[in-house]
Amino acid sequence: LAIALYLIFLQVNWRAAVVQSGIFLLALAVVFLLGKLPHKTQRPSSFREKLRVLAGERVLALLFVAAILAVGVEMGSIGVLSTFLAEVRGYGAMAAKLALVVLLVGMAAGRLLIGFLVKPKHVLRSTLALFGLAVPCFTLLYLVDLGHFTYLAAFLAGLALSSLLPLILTYAGLTY
């Protein structure tokens, strides 16, 4: 999100902005590299045994397809939203980029909110509700000219969709 904002406001001097963004990402990678998680001591089961158990689970296949859909729509929207709004809806360059920033803010807010609001026993219900919210939000965003409400639809779409992958992974982790 910060990098997207930075690149929008430095679009005149894009080479310097790309180098500076790369340096920022490198620093962020170093921070995550130095972070350590506590190591659990459990008796490891064989990989073949784990694979055999997971291969017969239909729910796992459904979770895999749902994760692919969620990530695909999320990444596709990040890549195409500003161009779509500029070319199809007639938004100016800055207004279209602002809609992308609003989508990214919604994604960030969604990822933060799920950690505080969703209890482990309500993960499946929350995942289904967010899929149910994401479908009409993206349908309205891409198929209906909402005018000024496009920004609201972009925020809600980002809010609903960004939480899906962490919730799907959490449900899979809790179930298996």
Side-chain angles (χ1 to χ4, degrees):
L1 175 65
I3 293 171
L5 282 171
Y6 185 70
L7 290 175
I8 287 173
F9 293 113
L10 284 179
Q11 58 185 321
V12 174
N13 191 2
W14 65 270
R15 287 184 183 173
V18 168
V19 170
Q20 292 168 1
S21 297
I23 292 170
F24 174 75
L25 285 176
L26 178 65
L28 193 60
V30 168
V31 167
F32 284 118
L33 180 67
L34 296 176
K36 301 264 182 185
L37 291 174
H39 203 73
K40 290 185 177 181
T41 55
Q42 290 181 345
R43 184 186 149 289
S45 57
S46 72
F47 178 73
R48 185 171 269 157
E49 182 179 317
K50 289 179 186 177
L51 193 59
R52 184 176 45 80
V53 170
L54 292 177
E57 294 291 331
R58 291 183 185 198
V59 173
L60 190 63
L62 183 64
L63 290 173
F64 183 69
V65 169
I68 289 172
L69 287 173
V71 171
V73 172
E74 186 176 334
M75 293 298 111
S77 292
I78 290 172
V80 79
L81 182 65
S82 60
T83 304
F84 172 79
L85 290 176
E87 297 292 325
V88 176
R89 299 279 187 240
Y91 280 62
M94 194 56 136
K97 289 178 185 177
L98 186 61
L100 176 61
V101 170
V102 169
L103 178 77
L104 292 172
V105 167
M107 289 179 176
R111 295 243 168 115
L112 289 174
L113 285 176
I114 62 163
F116 294 115
L117 299 179
V118 177
K119 305 280 188 247
K121 63 182 178 179
H122 299 298
V123 170
L124 180 61
R125 187 181 325 161
S126 300
T127 304
L128 294 174
L130 287 172
F131 260 117
L133 177 63
V135 169
C137 286
F138 277 97
T139 301
L140 288 174
L141 183 64
Y142 286 112
L143 298 180
V144 178
D145 188 4
L146 297 172
H148 295 296
F149 292 110
T150 299
Y151 296 110
L152 177 64
F155 179 79
L156 289 176
L159 185 82
L161 191 67
S162 69
S163 304
L164 287 175
L165 182 63
L167 285 174
I168 290 168
L169 295 175
T170 301
Y171 182 72
L174 290 172
T175 305
Y176 299 103

